[in-house]
């Protein structure tokens, strides 16, 4: 049993504790921390009564009984906890974002490379979604020919009041940033953001929707609509246009209804339901890979790439210019062949 310590017992922290302790195979949650100790104690009592509750995340990381760390606290705290886990030589799964600035992500990359050990995985769960995996299989098998263009939509029925500023780019869009790089096995070279007419459903202080355009090294053109006040529901669309065919991301499974003179499918309202199964796959694969001593999921480099791409998109939005994305070469430390388990 992999003995896990979880830092952050908010919404996703509680869901991950439940998964890691009560649902998945090969792990147990032995330690819990939250800045709100009363909440951590309540969560421990309810989900994992034998776990020790720590007042400090750093003490949890240092505890000899904790073999691996899961960070589900606020984004602003991720850098310090991930760096502490690397310093302690312990594998760490960090929910997205890896850190809230590209500089902080690069600090983590540099610390991990300097440690010489592959320890960090980032919670970009779309790579574990069955529908994205089916679409990737079509691309990788060559069935579509070389991809030329990708058309995507990230639609959300509404957002909370704390969702403001450029969060469409820095909070919603990073999922597309990561999953499209993975899907296409390519990196981005430039970003442009176009602001369409604003919807009447958005708060006065919120820009919505956004149209984000990316160009990849191979010359693939990507357009992503991020629309977070889309009244009909939560809807993730992705269409890969190849030389020989077009691949569509499968729709979530739902019953086809003939009712009230209509033929219809339900559209999800809650983002959590769309990717619920992928969290299980993601953490089960993480547990299994930690036991092998490898990182097979999104790396710290992927977390850094996502942050740097989001920065370029924010700059592109405010400047109205096409902004180059100059991130440099991936360190060989993160080359796929190095990350795989030894044969
Ligand atoms: P949340 O409900 O606000 O939970 C965050 C928790 O962290 C809160 O209980 C907060 O305590 C605690 N916390 C803050 N500072 C801390 C510190 N220094 N030490 C220990 N605990 C601290 O947020 P959430 O929705 O669970 O999101 C958490 C992270 O997961 C975010 O980075 C978010 O982007 C990510 N996330 C990812 C996905 C995904 O699809 N991959 C989905 C949801 C969330 P207080 O509230 O008491 O201050």
């Amino acid at each position: 049993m992999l003995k896990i310590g979880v830092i952050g017992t908010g919404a996703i922290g509680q869901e991950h504790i439940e998964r890691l302790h009560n649902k998945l195979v090969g792990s147990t949650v032995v330690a819990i921390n939250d800045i709100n100790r009363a909440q951590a104690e309540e969560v421990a009592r309810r989900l994992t009564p034998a776990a020790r509750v720590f007042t400090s995340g750093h003490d949890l990381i240092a505890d000899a009984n904790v073999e691996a760390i899961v960070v589900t606290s606020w984004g602003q705290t991720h850098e310090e906890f991930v760096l502490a886990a690397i310093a302690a030589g312990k594998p760490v799964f960090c929910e997205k974002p890896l850190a809230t600035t590209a500089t902080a992500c690069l600090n983590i990359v540099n610390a991990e490379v300097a440690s010489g050990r592959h320890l960090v995985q980032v919670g970009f769960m779309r790579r574990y979604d069955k529908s994205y995996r089916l679409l990737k299989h079509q691309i990788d098998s060559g069935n579509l020919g070389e991809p030329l263009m990708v058309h995507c939509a990230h639609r959300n029925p509404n957002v909370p009041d704390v969702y403001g500023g450029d969060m469409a780019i820095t909070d919603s869009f990073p999922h597309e940033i990561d999953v499209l790089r993975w899907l296409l096995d390519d990196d981005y070279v430039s970003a442009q953001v176009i602001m369409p007419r604003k919807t009447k459903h958005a708060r006065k202080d919120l820009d919505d929707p956004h149209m984000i355009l990316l160009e990849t090294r191979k010359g693939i053109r990507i357009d992503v609509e991020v629309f977070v006040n889309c009244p009909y529901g939560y809807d993730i669309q992705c269409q890969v246009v190849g030389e020989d065919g077009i691949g569509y991301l499968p729709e979530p499974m739902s019953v086809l209804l003939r009712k009230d003179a209509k033929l219809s499918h339900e559209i999800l309202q809650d983002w959590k339901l769309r990717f619920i199964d992928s969290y299980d796959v993601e953490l089960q694969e993480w547990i299994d890979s930690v036991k092998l001593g490898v990182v097979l999921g999104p790396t710290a480099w992927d977390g850094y790439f996502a942050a740097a791409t989001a920065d370029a998109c924010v700059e592109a939005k405010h400047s109205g210019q096409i902004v180059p994305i100059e991130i440099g070469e991936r360190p060989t430390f993160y080359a796929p062949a190095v990350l795989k388990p030894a044969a």
Side-chain angles (χ1 to χ4, degrees):
M1 281 287 188
L2 182 69
K3 291 187 271 181
I4 296 173
V6 179
I7 301 175
T9 58
I12 196 115
Q14 293 184 34
E15 289 184 22
H16 285 351
I17 290 168
E18 170 68 8
R19 277 187 185 93
L20 293 164
H21 194 68
N22 296 323
K23 193 170 180 191
L24 303 179
V25 178
S27 66
T28 175
V29 175
V30 295
I32 289 183
N33 157 260
D34 194 283
I35 199 163
N36 178 346
R37 189 177 167 99
Q39 177 179 282
E41 282 172 353
E42 186 281 321
V43 170
R45 258 195 313 279
R46 188 160 39 86
L47 299 178
T48 168
R52 184 170 160 203
V53 176
F54 284 79
T55 303
S56 145
H58 291 279
D59 291 347
L60 175 148
I61 292 167
D63 189 79
N65 194 37
V66 173
E67 296 172 325
I69 320 294
V70 169
V71 177
T72 48
S73 48
W74 284 354
Q76 290 91 329
T77 65
H78 291 183
E79 181 188 11
E80 67 171 278
F81 292 134
V82 173
L83 287 174
I86 294 169
K90 296 186 182 179
V92 53
F93 175 93
C94 179
E95 257 309 338
K96 66 93 194 162
L98 174 61
T100 49
T101 66
T103 306
C105 292
L106 197 54
N107 290 339
I108 292 171
V109 164
N110 291 336
E112 189 181 32
V113 172
S115 82
R117 289 184 59 194
H118 295 280
L119 296 168
V120 182
Q121 181 165 324
V122 186
F124 286 124
M125 79 297 182
R126 285 201 194 173
R127 296 188 188 198
Y128 300 87
D129 175 63
K130 195 170 183 184
S131 58
Y132 273 109
R133 287 187 164 189
L134 287 169
L135 183 57
K136 183 163 174 59
H137 177 70
Q138 289 295 325
I139 298 169
D140 290 351
S141 69
N143 206 20
L144 305 180
E146 290 298 329
L148 308 172
M149 294 174 280
V150 183
H151 308 299
C152 301
H154 183 136
R155 302 191 184 119
N156 214 323
N158 48 53
V159 282
D161 287 346
V162 293
Y163 189 103
D166 292 317
M167 283 176 75
I169 295 172
T170 59
D171 200 64
S172 301
F173 185 54
H175 283 298
E176 264 80 17
I177 296 177
D178 182 71
V179 83
L180 296 175
R181 264 183 83 228
W182 169 79
L183 208 54
L184 299 168
D185 190 20
D186 204 351
D187 283 336
Y188 309 125
V189 294
S190 73
Q192 183 180 7
V193 178
I194 296 169
M195 300 308 293
R197 182 179 179 184
K198 180 174 165 172
T199 169
K200 67 179 180 188
H201 296 297
R203 290 193 324 262
K204 282 204 168 47
D205 61 320
L206 191 68
D207 297 327
D208 188 44
H210 289 65
M211 176 63 73
I212 304 172
L213 308 174
L214 296 170
E215 183 185 2
T216 75
R217 278 191 190 186
K218 293 176 192 162
I220 302 168
R221 295 289 183 156
I222 299 169
D223 57 85
V224 183
E225 164 204 322
V226 182
F227 183 16
V228 298
N229 289 275
C230 173
Y232 74 74
Y234 184 75
D235 191 14
I236 300 298
Q237 298 285 328
C238 180
Q239 184 191 130
V240 178
V241 180
E243 295 168 304
D244 300 330
I246 300 178
Y248 293 81
L249 186 72
E251 294 286 342
M253 197 161 63
S254 73
V255 173
L256 176 65
L257 286 180
R258 286 180 158 79
K259 191 172 178 229
D260 299 332
K262 289 193 183 80
L263 190 60
S264 64
H265 278 283
E266 181 192 17
I267 293 178
L268 293 173
Q269 299 299 305
D270 185 346
W271 60 266
K272 276 193 212 129
L273 298 177
R274 172 65 182 83
F275 291 107
I276 189 98
D277 296 336
S278 63
Y279 295 115
D280 289 347
V281 180
E282 173 186 47
L283 285 174
Q284 186 64 62
E285 289 192 12
W286 177 69
I287 294 163
D288 298 343
S289 66
V290 164
K291 290 179 180 172
L292 294 172
V294 291
V295 174
L296 301 176
T299 62
W301 179 254
D302 296 322
Y304 167 59
F305 208 106
T309 303
D311 283 356
C313 292
V314 170
E315 187 186 334
K317 174 182 169 183
H318 294 287
S319 68
Q321 304 294 311
I322 297 174
V323 173
I325 300 174
E326 289 157 341
I327 292 175
E329 289 303 316
R330 176 177 59 195
T332 48
F333 182 81
Y334 293 109
V338 179
L339 296 168
K340 285 199 179 97

